[in-house]
Amino acid sequence: MGAGSTTSVVESSGGASTTLWSNNIFYNLGTGGYGGKPAEHTWRNNVMYGNHPASEPADPGR
């Protein structure tokens, strides 16, 4: 996300499945956070670079 962007890095509107985010690089220079319900996402071995909003998910392999 570019500097000055307010767009969410990740957003979901709900559903019956979960999403696995694994081995990604998230480069957030904006102020957007990570939306959606935490139970709908699993985070493994990702790199979160730049701004770290309060909604940034816990990733045990980081």
Side-chain angles (χ1 to χ4, degrees), residues 6-14 19 21 26 28 31-43 53-57:
T6 59
T7 302
S8 294
V9 178
V10 172
E11 184 65 55
S12 64
S13 59
T19 302
W21 299 92
F26 294 91
N28 182 13
T31 58
Y34 295 78
K37 299 175 185 171
E40 294 176 352
H41 302 279
T42 301
W43 300 86
S55 60
E56 185 174 285

Side-chain angles (χ1 to χ4, degrees), residues 18-47:
T18 60
T19 302
L20 170 62
W21 299 92
S22 180
N23 300 314
N24 296 287
I25 299 171
F26 294 91
Y27 189 21
N28 182 13
L29 296 178
T31 58
Y34 295 78
K37 299 175 185 171
E40 294 176 352
H41 302 279
T42 301
W43 300 86
R44 292 193 188 130
N45 305 314
N46 295 287
V47 175

